[in-house]
C-alpha cells in the first residue's frame, strides 16, 4: 500500500492534494513526469502528473480535481489510508533549458503540474512570467507557490472576482505584444491549451503543452493514449506527455477524451448514491 | 505393433467436456470443463509408453510425458504432478494454452493412425487435481547459494526462469510493471480460456517456493538494469515480452471505437472490465464488431466481444483460411460461437461520424498472388472491389512489436533492426554482461511455451554462470 501522509482540500473542496509515500518513485521522478494510481482491487488505473516530489522524504505529491467516480473515491481517502497501486515515474521529463524570457500559462488543476516546471525554468536562469486562471477567486490554487516560482505573476478569473477579468489568453496576448518571448508553456484544460497554441502560433513563439488523454497502462503497450502530433500518431504515455503545442490535433484529443463519457457519468452517480446512503 | 498396442490405438481419444457454444458465447466461464479421474485414466491408458518418445522431443521444455501419463494410469496423481513440476512450473497454464497439435501431440505415434494421446488435457488434469485435492507440499530445493537474480517481467518466460532458479538454491526477485504478475497470462489470454484464479495459484506456487515478486516496478523507469546490478543482483533475466501494439496506419485510425487488442484485452482481463460497473474500468460495447487479424489474439478479442453482448462479430483477414495463424481449435471455437470470418479482405480506411466515433470501414477484396518472403502467397487487392462494412467497434489484432521502454534506457544491450534484444540462441546471453533475455522480446510475438522454453535454457545458462563463472 502507498500511504497518504498529507492531505489538503483546495479550491472549495473540488481539488485535493495527496502527499503519498512512494520512495522508489520519488528517487527517480523529474518535473513533467506522471504516475498511474489505483485505489483498490476493483479500481481503475488513473494517470496524474506529479506536482511535487521529495526524494529525501520519499514522497510524491499529486493534486487532482474531483470529476468522476475514481477521483471521488480518491477524495474519500484520508491521511493514513493509501492507494493499492502507484506506478511511475512515467513519461518523458520536461526538457528544461535557459532560453531567456518565458511565459508559463496554467488553468485549473493544470497549475499544479505547471508549478515544478515553472520553478525549474526559473532556477536555471530564465526570466519567468506566469499567468494562472480559474473560474473565480475561490477556485484558484497555488497562488503563493506560483508567486515564488516566477518573477512576474498575473492572475485571471472568468468572473472578475480576482485579478484580471477574463481568460488567461487575454493576458498572454498582452505579454506577447511586449515581445522577446522565447517559450510558452501551457498546461490546463484542452480548450485552453488549444487557444494558447493558436495565439502563440501567430507570434511564432515555441509552445509546449502537457496532454492528458485516456490511459490504461501508461507504459506504451496499449495505445489508448494516442494523439496526433504533426500528422503522426504518438503515444502520450511514452512519447509525451509534453508536445509541441503547434502540432497537436486538439479537436481529435477532445473527441477521444469523451469516449467513455456516458459510462463515467453513470459510474460516478452510482458511487455517490451508494456513498451518501451510507 | 504388439497386440496390446493395436488394442490401445483402437480406443478413441477421450473428448474433453465443453460448455455448449450458445451458452458459453455469452459467459466468461472456462469453455472446456476438464476431465474426471475416470476420463483421465482412460485417456492415459491409450499411451503406448514408447521407448524413444517423439512427444518429449516435441515439448519445448522436455516434459517426461510417458512418465507422468503412466503415473496417472496407475492412479498416482501426486507422483504425476511431481514429475511434471520437475520440468514445468506452470502445468495448469501449459495444459490449456500450448498449441499441442504442433508440439507434443503432433509427434505422438498414436496420432499416425488415429487421434494422438490428449497430452495437454492430461497435463491440465494433473495440475487441476493437485490444486483441488493436493497436500500443498512443495518440491525440494537445493541449499542456498547466496546468489541473487533479478527477473524483469513476470510473463511465461520470467516465471519459468524464476521457478527453475529458486529450486536450484538462488534468491530470485521478479520485477513486474503491472499491478499483477503473469504478463500475457493475466492481461492477454481471456478468463474463458485461462481462468485468472489458476494463474494466480501458479504464481503463488512460485512465491511459496520463495520467489519475491515486486509489482508496479517499471524497469527502465522506476529502476534501470544498471541500478539492479549495483543493488547486488548477480544476474538479470529480461523477459519483457512484445508489448507494443501495431496499428494498420490507415486514415481514421484514431476515431473513438478503434482499440488495439492489447488495450481491449487489458481492459477486459487484467482490469476485469467485463464485470463493469461492478469494477471501475469501462470497456466499449460494440453492436457490430470487427476484429482485424487472424491470430490467437484476434480470436480472443472476437470471442470477448461476443461475450460482451455484440450482435455480430466479424474477423477481417487479408489472406485465406489456410494462412490464419490462430490455432485450429480456437478458430473452430470462435465459429461455433457465431463469429463470422471475412477472408481475403483488407481495410483501406475507417469511417466516422461528426462526434469522431467509428461507424464503419472501407475494405478491398484480395486474391492470392505469388508466394512472398514468408513463403505464404501474397494477398493482392482486387481493383474496384471496394465495399463498406458497418461497425461501431474495431479491435486491431495485427501483431505487436518490442516495447522500447526498457531497451531505450539500456544503450549497451544490442538490439536488432526491429528493436528485439539480440541474445544467444542456445543460452539467452545478451551483449550486456550478466544479462540474459528470452521470450517475445528476443523472438518477436510467439507462443507461451516457446517463451517458457527460452526461459528454461536461460535459467540453465544463468545457473552455470553463477556456479562456475564465465
Amino acid at each position: 500500500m502507498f500511504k497518504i501522509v498529507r492531505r489538503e482540500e483546495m479550491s472549495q473542496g473540488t481539488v485535493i492534494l495527496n502527499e503519498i509515500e512512494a520512495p522508489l518513485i520519488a528517487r527517480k521522478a523529474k518535473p513533467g513526469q506522471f504516475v498511474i494510481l489505483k485505489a483498490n482491487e476493483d479500481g481503475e488505473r488513473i494517470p496524474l502528473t506529479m506536482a511535487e516530489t521529495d526524494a529525501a522524504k520519499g514522497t510524491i505529491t499529486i493534486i487532482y480535481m474531483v470529476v468522476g467516480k475514481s477521483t471521488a473515491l480518491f477524495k474519500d481517502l484520508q491521511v493514513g489510508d493509501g492507494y493499492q497501486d502507484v506506478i511511475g515515474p512515467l513519461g518523458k521529463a520536461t526538457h528544461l533549458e535557459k532560453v531567456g524570457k518565458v511565459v508559463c500559462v496554467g488553468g485549473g488543476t493544470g497549475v499544479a503540474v505547471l508549478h515544478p516546471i515553472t520553478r525549474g525554468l526559473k532556477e536555471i536562469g530564465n526570466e519567468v512570467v506566469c499567468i494562472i486562471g480559474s473560474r473565480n477567486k475561490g477556485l484558484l490554487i497555488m497562488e503563493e507557490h506560483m508567486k515564488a516560482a516566477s518573477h512576474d505573476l498575473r492572475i485571471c478569473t472568468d468572473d472578475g472576482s480576482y485579478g484580471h477579468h477574463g481568460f488567461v489568453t487575454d493576458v498572454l496576448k498582452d505579454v506577447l505584444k511586449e515581445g522577446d518571448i522565447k517559450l510558452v508553456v501551457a498546461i490546463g484544460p484542452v480548450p485552453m491549451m488549444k487557444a494558447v497554441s493558436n495565439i502563440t502560433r501567430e507570434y511564432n513563439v515555441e509552445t509546449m503543452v502537457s496532454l492528458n488523454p485516456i490511459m490504461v497502462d501508461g507504459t506504451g503497450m496499449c495505445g489508448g493514449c494516442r494523439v496526433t502530433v504533426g500528422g503522426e500518431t504518438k503515444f502520450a504515455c511514452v512519447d509525451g506527455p509534453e508536445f509541441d503545442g503547434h502540432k497537436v490535433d486538439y479537436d481529435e484529443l477532445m473527441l477521444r477524451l469523451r469516449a467513455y463519457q456516458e459510462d463515467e457519468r453513470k459510474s460516478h452517480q452510482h458511487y455517490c448514491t451508494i456513498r451518501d446512503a451510507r | 505393433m504388439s497386440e496390446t498396442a493395436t488394442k490401445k490405438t483402437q480406443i478413441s481419444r477421450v473428448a474433453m467436456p465443453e460448455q455448449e457454444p450458445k451458452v458459453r458465447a455469452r459467459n466468461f466461464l472456462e469453455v472446456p470443463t476438464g476431465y474426471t479421474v475416470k476420463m483421465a485414466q482412460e485417456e492415459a491408458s491409450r499411451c503406448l509408453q514408447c521407448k524413444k518418445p517423439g512427444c518429449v522431443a516435441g515439448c519445448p521444455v522436455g516434459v517426461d510425458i510417458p512418465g507422468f501419463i503412466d503415473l496417472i494410469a496407475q492412479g498416482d496423481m501426486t507422483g504425476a504432478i511431481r514429475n511434471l513440476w520437475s520440468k514445468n512450473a506452470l502445468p495448469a497454464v501449459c495444459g490449456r494454452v500450448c498449441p499441442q497439435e504442433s508440439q507434443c501431440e503432433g509427434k505422438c505415434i498414436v496420432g499416425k493412425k488415429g487421434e494422438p494421446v490428449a497430452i495437454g488435457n492430461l497435463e491440465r488434469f494433473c495440475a487441476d487435481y493437485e490444486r483441488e485435492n493436493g497436500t500443498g507440499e512443495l518440491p525440494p530445493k537445493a541449499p542456498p547459494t547466496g546468489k541473487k537474480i533479478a527477473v524483469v517481467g513476470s510473463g511465461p518466460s520470467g516465471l519459468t526462469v524464476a521457478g527453475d532458479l529458486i529450486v536450484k538454491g538462488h534468491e530470485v526477485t521478479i520485477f513486474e510493471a503491472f499491478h499483477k504478475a503473469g504478463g500475457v497470462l493475466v492481461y492477454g489470454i481471456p478468463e474463458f480460456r485461462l481462468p485468472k484464479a489458476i494463474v494466480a495459484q501458479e504464481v503463488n506456487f512460485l512465491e511459496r517456493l520463495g520467489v519475491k515478486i515486486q509489482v508496479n516496478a517499471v524497469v527502465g523507469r522506476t529502476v534501470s538494469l544498471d541500478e539492479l546490478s549495483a543493488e547486488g543482483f548477480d544476474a538479470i533475466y529480461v523477459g519483457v515480452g512484445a508489448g507494443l501494439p501495431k496499428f494498420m496506419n490507415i486514415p481514421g485510425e484514431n476515431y473513438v471505437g478503434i482499440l488495439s487488442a492489447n488495450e481491449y484485452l487489458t481492459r477486459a482481463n487484467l482490469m476485469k472490465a467485463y464485470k463493469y460497473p461492478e469494477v471501475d474500468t469501462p470497456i466499449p460495447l460494440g453492436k457490430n464488431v470487427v476484429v482485424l487479424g487472424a491470430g490467437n489474439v484476434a480470436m480472443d478479442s472476437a470471442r470477448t466481444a461476443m461475450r460482451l453482448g455484440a450482435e455480430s462479430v466479424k474477423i477481417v483477414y487479408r489472406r485465406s483460411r489456410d494462412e490464419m495463424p490462430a490455432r485450429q481449435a480456437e478458430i473452430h471455437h470462435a465459429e461455433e460461437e457465431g463469429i463470422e470470418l471475412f477472408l481475403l479482405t483488407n481495410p483501406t480506411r475507417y469511417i466516422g461520424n461528426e462526434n469522431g466515433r467509428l461507424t464503419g470501414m472501407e475494405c478491398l477484396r484480395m486474391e492470392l498472388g505469388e508466394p512472398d518472403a514468408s513463403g505464404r502467397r501474397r494477398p493482392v487487392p482486387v481493383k474496384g472491389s471496394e465495399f463498406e462494412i458497418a461497425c461501431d467497434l474495431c479491435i486491431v489484432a495485427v501483431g505487436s512489436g518490442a516495447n522500447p521502454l526498457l531497451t531505450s534506457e539500456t544503450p549497451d544491450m544490442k538490439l536488432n533492426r526491429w528493436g528485439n534484444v539480440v541474445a544467444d540462441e542456445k543460452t539467452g546471453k545478451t551483449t550486456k554482461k550478466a544479462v540474459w533475455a528470452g521470450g517475445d522480446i528476443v523472438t518477436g510475438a510467439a507462443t507461451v511455451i516457446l517463451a517458457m522454453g527460452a526461459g528454461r535454457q536461460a535459467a540453465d545458462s544463468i545457473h552455470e554462470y553463477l556456479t562456475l563463472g564465465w
Side-chain angles (χ1 to χ4, degrees), chain A residues 63 68 109 155 188 195 244 250:
Chain A
I63 295 176
T109 48
I155 291 166
D244 179 345
Y250 295 101

Side-chain angles (χ1 to χ4, degrees), chain A residues 24 28 41-42 44-45 69 85 87-89 219 221-222 224 226 228 252 255-256 258-260 263 267, chain B residues 178-180 214 216 218 221-222 227 243 245 253-254 258 260 262-263 267 276 280-281 284 355 357 403:
Chain A
L24 294 177
K28 292 289 281 269
E41 185 61 30
D42 291 337
E44 62 179 331
R45 294 166 66 102
K69 155 94 195 252
D85 302 291
I87 303 107
T219 59
M221 65 156 278
C222 87
R226 60 197 194 275
T228 303
E252 179 188 275
L255 291 171
R256 287 184 62 81
R258 279 187 224 127
Y260 297 94
D263 288 324
S267 182
Chain B
F178 267 134
H179 56 270
K180 255 198 187 87
Q214 199 169 328
N216 298 329
V218 188
R221 291 275 199 241
T222 317
E227 283 165 335
E253 198 129 53
N254 293 346
I258 303 166
S260 72
N262 269 5
E263 177 178 0
R267 285 179 181 271
Y276 183 88
D280 296 343
T281 305
N355 296 320
R357 288 187 181 262
N403 187 323

Side-chain angles (χ1 to χ4, degrees), chain A residues 24-270:
Chain A
L24 294 177
I25 301 173
R27 189 178 69 176
K28 292 289 281 269
K30 295 196 175 71
Q33 288 189 303
F34 67 95
V35 287
I36 294 245
L37 303 102
K38 180 168 153 290
N40 56 37
E41 185 61 30
D42 291 337
E44 62 179 331
R45 294 166 66 102
I46 299 287
L48 285 170
T49 303
M50 288 173 276
E52 194 84 57
T53 56
D54 188 331
K57 243 173 110 184
T59 62
I60 62 165
T61 300
I62 51 160
I63 295 176
Y64 56 90
M65 191 185 293
V66 180
V67 289
K69 155 94 195 252
S70 289
T71 43
L73 183 69
F74 289 5
K75 184 186 177 179
D76 290 347
L77 299 174
Q78 302 301 319
V79 170
D81 297 340
Y83 291 87
Q84 189 177 63
D85 302 291
V86 181
I87 303 107
L90 300 170
K92 284 189 177 148
T94 308
H95 173 71
L96 295 171
E97 197 183 340
K98 186 177 172 180
V99 290
K101 197 170 174 184
V102 303
V103 185
C104 294
V105 190
T109 48
V111 175
V113 178
L114 188 65
H115 174 245
I117 298 167
T118 310
R119 194 174 54 190
L121 285 167
K122 188 183 173 194
E123 277 167 5
I124 57 172
N126 291 289
E127 191 191 335
V128 182
V129 180
C130 190
I131 310 166
I132 59 173
S134 62
R135 284 208 306 278
N136 61 53
K137 188 181 179 189
L139 294 176
L140 195 73
I141 62 167
M142 301 185 82
E143 183 185 345
E144 288 309 310
H145 286 85
M146 294 312 284
K147 200 175 210 166
S150 55
H151 296 94
D152 177 4
L153 174 68
R154 319 264 183 108
I155 291 166
C156 320
T157 51
D158 296 1
D159 68 352
S161 52
Y162 190 45
H164 170 80
H165 185 171
F167 296 133
V168 287
T169 42
D170 305 337
V171 181
L172 175 65
K173 276 183 199 161
D174 295 340
V175 176
L176 286 169
K177 273 178 201 148
E178 290 164 23
D180 207 29
I181 304 296
K182 294 287 187 281
L183 170 75
V184 171
V185 181
I187 304 177
V190 182
M192 175 270 212
M193 292 191 284
K194 180 184 174 183
V196 166
S197 300
N198 284 340
I199 292 165
T200 57
R201 191 181 287 114
E202 281 174 38
Y203 289 84
N204 203 16
V205 175
E206 187 187 334
T207 301
M208 193 186 84
V209 295
S210 179
L211 304 184
N212 56 343
I214 292 171
M215 287 187 190
V216 183
D217 62 289
T219 59
M221 65 156 278
C222 87
C225 66
R226 60 197 194 275
V227 288
T228 303
V229 182
E232 277 179 53
T233 293
K234 300 277 180 191
F235 289 3
C237 71
V238 289
D239 300 318
E242 286 166 9
F243 293 100
D244 179 345
H246 294 156
K247 293 185 176 164
V248 172
D249 184 339
Y250 295 101
D251 295 336
E252 179 188 275
L253 173 60
M254 281 187 265
L255 291 171
R256 287 184 62 81
L257 279 166
R258 279 187 224 127
Y260 297 94
Q261 213 168 20
E262 193 49 25
D263 288 324
E264 286 163 4
R265 194 187 56 75
K266 278 190 199 150
S267 182
H268 190 198
Q269 209 169 30
H270 180 70

